[in-house]
Amino acid sequence: MKVSQINIFPIKSLGGINLTDAIVETSGFQFDRNWMLVDENGKFLTQRTMPEMALFYTEIRENSLYVYLQSNLQNGIEIPYSQSSGKIIKSQVWNDPIEALHVSSEADTWFSAQLKISCQLLKMDLSNKRFIENKYKVNNEYVSFADSMPYLIIGEASLEDLNDRMEIPVPMNRFRPNIVFTGGKPFLEDSWDKIQIGEVFFQVTKPCARCVMTTIDQVTATKGKEPLKTLAKYRKVDGKILFGQNLIALNNGKISVGDEVKAL
């Protein structure tokens, strides 16, 4: 088994970036979900209610993140990586209260104009860590603005199994995994406890419960019924539709496409 994809999503719920290698940090890959958009009440924005967020693309540049609409590469905004201080904004991700850094009025204005809703861009404040649930901790791990866990892994065989059951196949980007691997049987990842990729060891924490975001085409932002309709027929456990496994990293390091995935 080998890594076939590495993906990061710098701004929560916006388009992702496919990488050949990535730095593994406790809270997730470097830059992964380090930023988040919130409405005027501090509630985080996602594709669940605003599918058009899928149409925002991101690029990693030397000193900044560049964000632009799929339809207009030139009309974008630069977001510096280096910000480490600023006005603290209170928000939350699901039930987790968060104190984050306000990025800038310029960013607020740009995103508000594109989304046609008053919003603010926040950055993760490393001095205010968001710790994962106690029952999943190994070394007091914390997470960025991701829903619950720092990493998500899915096998290509699992997606092939799903697509074999559907009239129209869906791509892997519907599930927004950080790590994709080739080889092995469908849903082999469900059986893992610990794995090693390159120089990094990961603990498998829990299956990933899937939501309506998987029904949004990441290129057109249109919504449908699949793949949840098909997944519900054979991947539903205790009322949750499961696809992929969440992970925490037990050490920092780097992983690359082509690295072997070893089940321990």
Side-chain angles (χ1 to χ4, degrees), residues 99-209:
E99 292 187 347
L101 300 174
H102 177 230
V103 173
S104 69
S105 297
E106 177 190 8
D108 297 347
T109 299
W110 189 85
F111 279 105
S112 296
Q114 311 308 319
L115 288 168
K116 297 178 176 58
I117 181 177
S118 179
C119 59
Q120 292 180 304
L121 182 66
L122 308 184
K123 184 186 181 188
M124 202 78 195
D125 179 11
L126 294 179
S127 65
N128 289 294
K129 292 182 173 63
R130 177 189 168 212
F131 293 97
I132 66 173
E133 291 183 63
N134 287 330
K135 61 182 176 180
Y136 300 119
K137 289 179 183 176
V138 176
N139 297 307
N140 209 28
E141 287 81 10
Y142 48 94
V143 61
S144 62
F145 290 134
D147 279 353
S148 65
M149 290 288 160
Y151 297 93
L152 171 64
I153 190 168
I154 299 175
E156 288 188 7
S158 301
L159 181 63
E160 290 168 4
D161 181 274
L162 168 62
N163 282 333
D164 285 344
R165 300 166 188 261
M166 299 200 304
E167 290 184 14
I168 301 174
V170 296
M172 186 65 83
N173 66 10
R174 290 290 188 97
F175 302 97
R176 298 168 71 85
N178 296 111
I179 304 167
V180 180
F181 68 93
T182 60
K185 297 179 180 180
F187 305 106
L188 177 63
E189 57 269 28
D190 292 355
S191 66
W192 291 343
D193 178 43
K194 291 180 182 179
I195 61 172
Q196 180 181 0
I197 303 175
E199 59 192 30
V200 182
F201 294 86
F202 294 90
Q203 174 73 51
V204 179
T205 54
K206 65 185 181 71
C208 185

Side-chain angles (χ1 to χ4, degrees), residues 8-252:
I8 63 170
F9 307 88
I11 301 179
K12 184 177 180 69
S13 231
L14 267 56
I17 303 173
N18 186 256
L19 304 174
T20 56
D21 53 61
I23 303 298
V24 175
E25 299 176 342
T26 301
S27 61
F29 282 134
Q30 184 181 42
F31 304 129
D32 187 41
R33 296 176 178 92
N34 282 5
W35 292 268
M36 177 175 72
L37 287 163
V38 300
D39 66 15
E40 55 190 4
N41 298 313
K43 182 180 179 180
F44 74 93
L45 302 177
T46 81
Q47 291 182 36
R48 293 173 181 86
T49 55
M50 302 188 72
E52 62 269 31
M53 292 176 73
L55 303 180
F56 287 79
Y57 287 6
T58 49
E59 291 180 1
I60 291 177
R61 296 189 171 180
E62 185 176 357
N63 297 308
S64 64
L65 185 71
Y66 184 67
V67 187
Y68 61 96
L69 272 173
Q70 179 194 102
S71 59
N72 193 345
L73 172 61
Q74 304 307 318
N75 178 28
I77 187 169
E78 300 262 3
I79 301 168
Y81 299 139
S82 58
Q83 181 184 4
S84 59
S85 62
K87 181 182 178 182
I88 297 293
I89 303 291
K90 291 186 177 182
S91 181
Q92 65 184 64
V93 174
W94 300 116
N95 295 321
D96 297 339
I98 289 172
E99 292 187 347
L101 300 174
H102 177 230
V103 173
S104 69
S105 297
E106 177 190 8
D108 297 347
T109 299
W110 189 85
F111 279 105
S112 296
Q114 311 308 319
L115 288 168
K116 297 178 176 58
I117 181 177
S118 179
C119 59
Q120 292 180 304
L121 182 66
L122 308 184
K123 184 186 181 188
M124 202 78 195
D125 179 11
L126 294 179
S127 65
N128 289 294
K129 292 182 173 63
R130 177 189 168 212
F131 293 97
I132 66 173
E133 291 183 63
N134 287 330
K135 61 182 176 180
Y136 300 119
K137 289 179 183 176
V138 176
N139 297 307
N140 209 28
E141 287 81 10
Y142 48 94
V143 61
S144 62
F145 290 134
D147 279 353
S148 65
M149 290 288 160
Y151 297 93
L152 171 64
I153 190 168
I154 299 175
E156 288 188 7
S158 301
L159 181 63
E160 290 168 4
D161 181 274
L162 168 62
N163 282 333
D164 285 344
R165 300 166 188 261
M166 299 200 304
E167 290 184 14
I168 301 174
V170 296
M172 186 65 83
N173 66 10
R174 290 290 188 97
F175 302 97
R176 298 168 71 85
N178 296 111
I179 304 167
V180 180
F181 68 93
T182 60
K185 297 179 180 180
F187 305 106
L188 177 63
E189 57 269 28
D190 292 355
S191 66
W192 291 343
D193 178 43
K194 291 180 182 179
I195 61 172
Q196 180 181 0
I197 303 175
E199 59 192 30
V200 182
F201 294 86
F202 294 90
Q203 174 73 51
V204 179
T205 54
K206 65 185 181 71
C208 185
R210 311 315 307 221
C211 69
V212 70
M213 271 187 67
T214 61
T215 67
I216 299 169
D217 187 309
Q218 295 298 294
V219 176
T220 65
T222 55
K223 294 177 72 172
K225 295 182 179 180
E226 293 289 12
L228 287 186
K229 181 180 177 181
T230 297
L231 279 172
K233 296 175 180 177
Y234 76 116
R235 294 290 297 174
K236 197 168 188 177
V237 179
D238 296 330
K240 296 179 180 180
I241 298 172
L242 307 179
F243 194 82
Q245 290 288 328
N246 287 296
L247 314 170
I248 55 176
L250 301 179
N251 63 288
N252 293 354

